[in-house]
Amino acid sequence: MRPPLPSLQLAERVCTGERRAIARMLSRAEAGSDEAREALDLIYRRAGNAHVVGITGVPGSGKSTLVAKLAAAVLKSGRKIGIIAVDPSSPFSGGSILGDRIRMGEVSGDPSVFVRSMATRGALGGLARGTLEAVDILDAAGYDMIFIETVGVGQDEVDVVRAAHTTVVVSAPGLGDDIQAIKAGILEIADVHAVSKGDKPEADKTVSDLKSMLGLGLPAAGLRRAVPVVKICSPREEGIGELLAEIDAHRDYLVSSGEYEPRRQAIRERRMLKAAEHVLHEEFERHREGRMAGLLAALADASISPQTAARQLLAHIGMEVRE
Amino acid sequence: METKTKTDIIRVIIAKVGLDGHDRGVKIVARTLRDAGMEVIYTGLHRTPEEVVDAAVEEDVDVLGISILSGAHMTIFPKILKLLKERDAEDILVVGGGVMPDEEAAALKAMGVKEILLQDSPPDAIVASVRRLVAERGPK
């Protein structure tokens, strides 16, 4: 067994597109090891060219199947495509079944495609910790377009919108009425809507519900661009070309409207804050050990409330909460 | 949730290769490893050796588990080992599962398959084998 290669050397190989190096670097980024930080700085400097596209939607809406077909269409256009597919980790064992590759058979093995599965490892919001470092790595390795397929989300797991340049929300027909369509949350974040399972008769109803919802919102929200709704049927490859054209058109729009750089800056800001929060959280977990027994006893006999106990716990570890 | 320190999460890819539609066992193995805190990538049925090896490399797995109930193990495992060598990925630990004669299991281990878990392997033994192999390999 060879000794592990230092991450900085690995990073150089990532930038030449070497597949094993990319794969290993992804693991180190995911693990968040200190040893890899300098290498990730280097990779961050080389990144910034790819179009990052988030694909999100409820579980079973057809995200993986769509991603595979879209990736094939991207390949046909002569571009290299990276795919990061996120699936949930178990809150109990920490383990995970990553099944998104099952539907990627068509494109996997092509040298212009790199598919990586990531487990959330406790992160909420629809992405995995390290997803954006993974985007940087694929970007620096020369992939032109990068898809982030989120976990199947509920209504308010919308982190992807602060990670991607273009967000595609996949809606399956038959899951709700026109009131579902005007609720806050996931439907608001779409730059492009895709309605999957277009061979079902209810798909047209879902398309028209989404269109009328978007029509209600347009003037009030001050949007300058109408959000397109594309009906797709992935197994029949219907609507895939049109959807890719809308995704490409969105990037052109961002550039021509001057919104591209502000959006990228918002992503950078979010990444910095998320990383800082993560460090704080780890520090908190480390310091709270041994401080909790007394507070838990006080909670059990109701001599204090959870809110008060929380403030005392923070005070114990040197964090005063100002009211 | 139990906080795993980062690098100690074992990643395993579980694959079915060739014309073999029997996936009940492989799903039980995947579930067992998940419940032991591992990240398990499942490829689905009817994969080629090339697809499986490419996936194992991209996913940077510790262990490549191949379930074969079709009798083609003496063809498929040598192919997998050869492809891993070609891709400079011989540190990926290959484990086989399924039904086969004992002497063929021994022959595969001599070729470089790290462990063969036959149909009567209890779930705990599968988890223990994977953990032991990864520990013996050391950090990557």
Side-chain angles (χ1 to χ4, degrees), chain A residues 34-54:
Chain A
D34 287 337
E35 193 270 334
R37 200 172 323 121
E38 208 179 324
L40 289 170
D41 287 347
L42 184 145
I43 283 166
Y44 178 77
R45 278 197 293 279
R46 306 275 179 93
N49 302 308
H51 181 195
V52 183
V53 179

Side-chain angles (χ1 to χ4, degrees), chain A residues 44 46-56 79 82 84 127 131-132 134-136 138-140 143-150 158-169 188-192 225 227-228 246-271:
Chain A
Y44 178 77
R46 306 275 179 93
N49 302 308
H51 181 195
V52 183
V53 179
I55 314 270
T56 191
R79 287 175 280 183
I84 298 163
L127 299 180
T131 297
L132 289 173
V135 167
D136 284 347
L138 293 175
D139 188 337
Y143 291 87
D144 303 299
M145 201 176 221
I146 297 162
F147 288 155
I148 304 172
E149 182 195 334
T150 72
V158 296
D159 273 3
V160 70
V161 78
R162 287 276 169 265
H165 305 138
T166 302
T167 301
V168 179
V169 175
E188 287 181 282
I189 66 172
D191 298 306
V192 179
R225 170 183 166 272
V227 176
E246 291 292 358
I247 291 168
D248 287 334
H250 180 256
R251 173 154 168 164
D252 294 343
Y253 161 80
L254 287 177
V255 172
S256 64
S257 67
E259 287 179 37
Y260 186 51
E261 189 47 37
R263 190 174 283 222
R264 293 180 64 192
Q265 189 63 6
I267 294 169
R268 296 180 195 120
E269 177 183 335
R270 174 77 164 192
R271 290 181 64 176

Side-chain angles (χ1 to χ4, degrees), chain B residues 52-105:
Chain B
V52 166
V53 168
D54 285 339
V57 167
E58 286 181 9
E59 298 289 354
D60 192 35
V61 292
D62 300 291
V63 174
L64 165 55
I66 297 177
S67 154
I68 300 181
L69 292 161
S70 64
H73 47 272
M74 295 309 283
T75 312
I76 288 169
F77 280 105
K79 186 92 193 276
I80 296 271
L81 292 168
K82 180 167 163 277
L83 288 167
L84 283 170
K85 188 170 185 182
E86 283 171 15
R87 285 160 178 67
D88 192 26
E90 288 168 286
D91 56 316
I92 294 175
L93 307 160
V94 178
V95 175
V99 182
M100 67 183 75
D102 290 342
E103 60 273 21
E104 291 183 354

